[in-house]
């Protein structure tokens, strides 16, 4: 399995752990910031910087450190897993498709927790022109990967309405 370069796939990475992951030299109890693995540019459609704490011995969830540069955003995406972003630094807002109600635009700042429901289109925006936004992102993608249910879609840097038009059969 490639951990970098053109052969890297997030699906392979997330499914690379055996059914039971025991702490040890390869899967330590502590992973330092310098030990996070940066996902190769272009390996996922999200244009932000994603670094994964992939060597932690987690079996059901994955953790990322995500940076959105000043004035930029993530892609409009949806996935089967749940995600919580803890805002380490910065201010911004998110557009999140309403699952059983109207779409929502929510604002957040350092110390906020932002929840993304399963299979809801969403996009996160950095509202600062000067400072990056940094998230600690936790998702239950490993659990769904083990069950063969992992699925992600990206519509790119578009609006909620554009995403719905690009994927009409999925709404």
């Amino acid at each position: 399995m490639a951990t970098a370069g053109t052969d890297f796939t997030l699906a392979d990475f997330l499914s690379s752990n055996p059914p039971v992951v025991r702490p040890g030299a390869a899967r330590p109890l502590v992973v330092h910031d310098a030990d996070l693995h940066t996902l190769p540019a272009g390996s996922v459609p999200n244009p932000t910087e994603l670094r994964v704490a992939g060597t932690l011995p987690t079996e059901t969830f994955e953790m990322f450190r995500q940076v959105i540069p000043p004035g930029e955003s993530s892609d409009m995406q949806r996935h089967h897993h749940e995600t919580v972003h803890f805002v380490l630094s910065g201010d911004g807002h998110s557009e999140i498709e309403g699952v059983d109600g109207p779409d929502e635009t929510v604002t957040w700042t350092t110390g906020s927790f932002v929840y993304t429901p399963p299979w809801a289109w969403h996009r996160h925006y950095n509202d600062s022109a000067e400072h990056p936004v940094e998230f600690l992102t936790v998702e239950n993608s490993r659990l769904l990967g083990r069950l063969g249910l992992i699925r992600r879609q990206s519509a790119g840097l578009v609006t909620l309405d554009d995403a719905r038009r690009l994927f009409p059969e999925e709404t």
Side-chain angles (χ1 to χ4, degrees):
M1 175 199 70
T3 57
T6 58
D7 294 334
F8 174 88
T9 69
L10 190 58
D12 287 346
F13 181 83
L14 292 174
S15 65
S16 66
N17 291 326
V20 176
V21 181
R22 300 282 184 224
R27 297 287 183 187
L29 293 172
V30 175
V31 173
H32 302 280
D33 185 62
D35 299 326
L36 299 180
H37 300 282
T38 301
L39 298 184
S43 63
V44 293
N46 194 329
T48 65
E49 177 187 290
L50 293 167
R51 296 185 308 133
V52 62
T55 58
L56 285 172
T58 60
E59 296 181 40
T60 60
F61 65 93
E62 192 67 79
M63 295 183 69
F64 296 87
R65 195 155 180 179
Q66 181 176 5
V67 176
I68 301 176
E72 295 192 21
S73 73
S74 65
D75 59 325
M76 182 65 71
Q77 61 178 272
R78 65 181 173 182
H79 34 69
H80 283 171
H81 57 269
E82 294 177 286
T83 303
V84 174
H85 296 279
F86 176 70
V87 185
L88 296 168
S89 64
D91 301 296
H93 70 280
S94 299
E95 296 175 345
I96 302 174
E97 180 179 44
V99 178
D100 293 322
D103 298 338
E104 293 191 56
T105 298
V106 296
T107 58
W108 37 262
T109 189
T110 300
S112 299
F113 291 86
V114 183
Y115 174 73
T116 304
W119 210 239
W121 286 111
H122 61 281
R123 187 171 173 188
H124 309 292
Y125 296 83
N126 182 346
D127 290 342
S128 172
E130 299 175 18
H131 305 287
V133 161
E134 191 164 5
F135 291 135
L136 172 64
T137 302
V138 181
E139 58 185 45
N140 64 340
S141 53
R142 281 193 179 178
L143 174 63
L144 294 186
R146 296 218 184 285
L147 299 172
L149 301 174
I150 195 81
R151 184 168 182 207
R152 296 175 188 254
Q153 286 182 329
S154 172
L157 301 177
V158 302
T159 67
L160 280 167
D161 288 337
D162 290 337
R164 291 181 185 113
R165 280 192 290 278
L166 287 168
F167 296 88
E169 73 285 353
E170 301 289 341
T171 57

